[in-house]
């Protein structure tokens, strides 16, 4: 029989902290089938474009005070700066980290004098899809220095914590074993540059926080609510982790 | 609060599909209400069968394949060619019954994190309160003590 410590040797390598290896960000697009790649690339075939169009309609629809998003940001949102969009979530003295969706909701409430919508309301997802689509091709560039650091670290902690009865952490599937096969599926890095994404299997658009809830479900864990501090921190971390990847919204996924 | 979250969860149509849709791991499946049995490791093995139970290799094989139970094939290549799509995340388990002793196998199934704290492999039988934020429907060990013993018995046949 081998000595007990001999059994540990093969694992010693595995225990080197993952942070020693810098992760080279890779878009999940790279792992799509040719068919799905073509679908995503072709605006006429990409079913997510229907949500972009719905977002555009909402963008041009007058709010309670008669103003529409378009009144301030241009008919097709052309006055919005793609570089700024790619920098979300941003840090704001008053609200802390602000995701793009929260920013849109703020405009909706303050500038159109409407009641703010619930996080991940259909309208907000459509508006976010439209706005992000405006910045397609722009490289994600989220600044996590200064007071944002704390939220980045909190998100990173969540990413590295085992959750649920399935007892795994995001980092296991999406970093340690990214590129390997889990059953039939090649594990991606969970980069979020394609969100909101169109899911072919359920024929619907899916927001980032809905995807988080889905992953919590898969792991048989208790999810947080969309727009919760935990998911916002996770979004901050995962956005910065993918800095440099081009925005692909609306991404198409299986 | 918990109720509202669940209610909310089920309002999200895409989310529901996502729960079911992901490769290998589904949310459905039986939940057991079995009492947790304490176990003790000696070095990197658990020499005694959980609850003194006797394992059955045939049942063990079924647990290994079942996506709601062991789902070992999600990560491991195993000599079960009739099942499609084995994972490449983990080392093949062919011949593991001659590489490791029964007690060593038991610890690995019960809690591989004792061997390698960073492992992706879930602990199939750690104290239920040691799982972090389990969904209320899943506040138990993954496998029952009997199922653990069945899987050990099955792995012992892989010579």
């Amino acid at each position: 029989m081998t000595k007990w410590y001999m059994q540990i040797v093969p694992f010693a390598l595995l225990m080197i902290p993952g942070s020693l290896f810098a992760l080279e960000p890779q878009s999940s697009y790279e792992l799509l089938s040719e068919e799905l790649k073509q679908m995503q690339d072709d605006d006429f075939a990409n079913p997510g474009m229907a949500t972009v169009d719905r977002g555009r309609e909402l963008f041009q629809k007058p709010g309670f005070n008669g103003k529409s998003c378009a009144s301030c940001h241009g008919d097709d949102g052309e006055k919005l700066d793609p570089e700024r969009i790619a920098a979300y979530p941003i840090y704001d003295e008053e609200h802390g980290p602000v995701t793009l969706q929260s920013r849109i909701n703020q405009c909706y409430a303050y500038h159109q004098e409407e009641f703010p919508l619930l996080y991940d309301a259909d309208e907000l997802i459509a508006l976010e899809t439209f706005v992000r689509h405006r910045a397609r091709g722009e490289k994600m560039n989220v600044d996590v220095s200064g007071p944002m650091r704390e939220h980045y670290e909190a998100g990173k902690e969540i990413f590295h914590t085992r959750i649920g009865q399935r007892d795994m952490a995001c980092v296991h599937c999406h970093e340690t074993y990214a590129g390997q096969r889990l059953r039939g599926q090649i594990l991606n890095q969970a980069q979020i540059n394609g969100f909101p994404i169109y899911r072919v299997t359920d024929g619907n658009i899916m927001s980032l926080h809905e995807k988080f809830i889905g992953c919590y479900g898969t792991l048989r864990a208790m999810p947080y609510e969309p727009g919760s501090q935990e998911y916002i921190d996770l979004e901050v971390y995962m956005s910065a982790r993918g800095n440099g990847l081009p925005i692909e919204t609306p991404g198409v996924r299986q | 609060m918990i109720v509202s979250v669940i209610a909310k969860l089920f309002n999200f149509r895409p989310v529901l599909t996502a729960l079911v849709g992901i490769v290998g791991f589904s949310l459905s499946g039986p939940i057991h209400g079995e009492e947790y049995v304490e176990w003790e490791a000696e070095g990197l093995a658990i020499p005694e069968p959980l609850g003194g139970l006797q394992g059955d290799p045939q049942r063990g094989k079924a647990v290994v394949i079942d996506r709601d139970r062991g789902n070992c094939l999600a990560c491991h290549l195993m000599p079960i060619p009739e099942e499609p799509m084995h994972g490449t995340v983990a080392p093949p388990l062919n011949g593991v019954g001659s590489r490791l002793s029964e007690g060593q196998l038991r610890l690995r199934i019960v809690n591989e994190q004792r061997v390698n704290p960073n492992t992706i492999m879930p602990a199939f039988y750690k104290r239920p309160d040691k799982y972090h934020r389990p969904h209320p429907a899943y506040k138990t060990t993954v496998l029952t003590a009997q199922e653990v013993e069945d899987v050990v018995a099955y792995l012992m046949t892989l010579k």
Side-chain angles (χ1 to χ4, degrees):
Chain A
M1 225 195 85
T2 45
K3 290 257 165 42
W4 68 270
Y5 53 79
M6 287 304 290
Q7 296 176 43
I8 301 188
V9 175
F11 304 121
L13 275 173
L14 288 169
M15 291 202 238
I16 298 171
S19 54
L20 285 185
F21 306 97
L23 179 80
E24 179 69 43
Q26 183 200 44
S27 169
S28 310
Y29 174 87
E30 307 294 338
L31 301 176
L32 296 181
S33 65
E34 275 313 310
E35 191 195 354
L36 286 185
K37 277 186 183 165
Q38 279 170 21
M39 198 191 270
Q40 176 170 318
D41 291 343
D42 177 357
D43 280 356
F44 294 100
N46 184 336
M49 289 306 290
T51 307
V52 172
D53 291 341
R54 165 141 163 79
R56 185 182 292 104
E57 274 166 32
L58 292 165
F59 198 82
Q60 295 168 347
K61 190 175 135 196
F64 181 74
N65 62 2
K67 284 188 188 147
S68 69
C69 319
S71 323
C72 298
H73 296 302
D75 250 7
D76 204 31
E78 63 277 4
K79 291 186 193 152
L80 286 167
D81 178 357
E83 261 184 52
R84 297 263 311 186
I85 292 167
Y88 273 79
I90 55 155
Y91 192 87
D92 149 346
E93 291 294 320
E94 192 185 338
H95 304 94
V98 178
T99 64
L100 187 62
Q101 198 186 114
S102 331
R103 186 65 183 92
I104 291 170
N105 208 9
Q106 285 170 10
C107 272
Y108 182 71
Y110 300 146
H111 293 309
Q112 298 186 283
E113 295 174 43
E114 293 276 2
F115 285 111
L117 294 162
L118 278 181
Y119 209 94
D120 271 356
D122 282 355
E123 294 92 329
L124 282 178
I125 295 177
L127 281 166
E128 182 184 351
T129 309
F130 170 74
V131 169
R132 263 191 213 281
H133 174 68
R134 292 246 6 129
R136 193 159 64 167
E138 190 68 36
K139 292 195 166 122
M140 309 239 299
N141 183 21
V142 176
D143 179 7
V144 290
S145 61
M148 194 64 134
R149 195 74 206 173
E150 183 190 317
H151 295 277
Y152 172 89
E153 294 298 341
K156 184 173 180 180
E157 173 85 28
I158 295 174
F159 198 81
H160 286 78
T161 304
R162 284 178 201 277
I163 51 168
Q165 195 205 39
R166 282 296 179 192
D167 205 25
M168 291 180 248
C170 321
V171 69
H172 288 132
C173 286
H174 292 302
E175 235 168 272
T176 320
Y177 291 104
Q180 293 293 319
R181 269 176 202 281
L182 186 74
R183 286 270 180 185
Q185 189 143 5
I186 299 182
L187 291 167
N188 61 44
Q189 288 183 1
Q191 297 293 355
I192 60 180
N193 53 317
F195 275 84
I197 53 173
Y198 179 86
R199 308 229 339 161
V200 175
T201 27
D202 51 60
N204 221 315
I205 205 87
M206 179 182 263
S207 78
L208 183 61
H209 292 199
E210 283 174 345
K211 179 70 212 177
F212 289 166
I213 292 174
C215 285
Y216 271 62
T218 307
L219 297 173
R220 297 178 170 176
M222 189 60 193
Y224 297 98
E225 299 206 41
S228 60
Q229 192 60 54
E230 286 82 2
Y231 284 170
I232 288 177
D233 291 347
L234 200 49
E235 181 169 346
V236 169
Y237 170 68
M238 291 175 75
S239 306
R241 175 177 171 268
N243 271 350
L245 290 176
I247 291 180
E248 289 173 13
T249 312
V252 173
R253 297 291 182 269
Q254 197 56 53
Chain B
M1 154 76 182
I2 285 177
V3 176
S4 87
V5 174
I6 297 174
K8 222 165 179 168
L9 214 154
F10 287 96
N11 276 333
F12 287 108
R13 197 174 359 92
V15 169
L16 255 190
T17 348
L19 294 186
V20 187
I22 293 195
V23 251
F25 295 96
S26 73
L27 189 67
S28 61
I31 313 158
H32 66 85
E34 194 194 70
E35 191 87 6
Y36 174 72
V37 184
E38 294 290 343
W39 48 267
E40 239 173 276
E42 278 174 28
L44 291 179
I46 304 175
E48 296 301 320
L50 302 185
L53 294 162
Q54 168 100 43
D56 172 77
Q58 263 331 97
R59 283 197 313 245
K61 184 176 178 186
V63 172
V64 160
I65 293 171
D66 188 340
R67 290 176 185 232
D68 293 319
R69 290 296 192 197
N71 199 19
C72 319
L73 297 177
C75 297
H76 290 279
L77 177 68
M78 295 182 78
I80 311 182
E82 63 275 21
E83 282 292 312
M85 299 198 289
H86 300 208
T88 62
V89 158
L93 292 182
N94 305 38
V96 77
S98 34
R99 275 202 306 281
L100 298 173
S101 71
E102 189 187 305
Q104 290 170 334
L105 287 173
R106 190 173 289 111
L107 178 65
R108 282 170 167 78
I109 298 160
V110 162
N111 191 354
E112 170 71 12
Q113 291 149 38
R114 286 283 185 100
V115 183
N116 171 14
N118 291 334
T119 187
I120 186 176
M121 183 161 153
F124 288 91
Y125 203 86
K126 66 180 174 186
R127 271 235 319 275
D129 62 355
K130 295 261 165 101
Y131 296 92
H132 181 58
R133 280 185 82 78
H135 190 279
Y138 292 99
K139 288 192 167 174
T140 61
T141 54
V142 184
L143 300 179
T144 63
Q146 181 64 61
E147 286 167 336
V148 170
E149 289 310 317
D150 293 343
V151 173
V152 172
Y154 170 65
L155 294 185
M156 283 304 285
T157 68
L158 305 181
K159 297 289 186 187

